[in-house]
Amino acid sequence: MKRVTGIGGVFFKAKDPVALGAWYKTHLGIDVQDWGGAAFSWVDESGNAAKGTTIWSVGKGENFAPSSAPFMINYRVSDLHGLVQVLRREGCNVLEKIDDSEYGKFGWVMDPEGNKVELWQPPEGQ
């Protein structure tokens, strides 16, 4: 079974998300949108568009709980339900909630150091 197939997003806490987003936009050229982040479209080795994006976002971090870490990484997976079952059998601390929305399926596992890891199965075709 494939496990992680890529990084879907990087999210981190900010004391002032708007100001920090403005800094990244001004100094690093990241096209920070009103929702607090940017979507980086994927390209292949030749620079041609490929299916997929990686999200980058600053925010208050309310959805990082129960972790106290200032970040959360979202990993793309091809079979969320299958991977969650495997992780539970392996004794991992998998959070009970699984979200299914227009954006795909989301599940979470805590790593041994207490960092919340988001697992994301994109909708078909993405």
Side-chain angles (χ1 to χ4, degrees):
M1 149 181 254
K2 282 188 177 181
R3 294 195 184 212
V4 169
T5 62
I7 295 177
V10 177
F11 307 89
F12 57 99
K13 291 181 185 179
K15 294 174 188 156
D16 185 343
V18 173
L20 188 59
W23 185 91
Y24 275 94
K25 189 171 195 169
T26 299
H27 299 287
L28 298 183
I30 295 175
D31 187 20
V32 179
Q33 301 295 305
D34 291 339
W35 54 269
F40 293 94
S41 297
W42 294 359
V43 295
D44 64 17
E45 305 80 36
S46 303
N48 299 314
K51 287 185 179 180
T53 56
T54 299
I55 299 299
W56 173 96
S57 180
V58 295
K60 293 287 185 183
E62 295 94 351
N63 58 333
F64 297 1
S67 174
S68 60
F71 67 91
M72 182 174 67
I73 298 177
N74 165 294
Y75 293 101
R76 290 174 63 106
V77 301
S78 56
D79 178 5
L80 177 67
H81 289 286
L83 180 55
V84 164
Q85 288 177 358
V86 168
L87 293 173
R88 283 191 176 118
R89 282 196 307 266
E90 292 173 347
C92 295
N93 180 8
V94 178
L95 303 183
E96 290 300 317
K97 181 178 179 183
I98 291 184
D99 283 346
D100 194 347
S101 75
E102 65 186 281
Y103 302 109
K105 298 174 185 171
F106 296 86
W108 298 269
V109 61
M110 301 298 290
D111 76 13
E113 294 197 5
N115 301 305
K116 186 177 180 183
V117 175
E118 187 168 66
L119 305 172
W120 170 53
Q121 180 181 332
E124 283 293 317
Q126 287 192 17

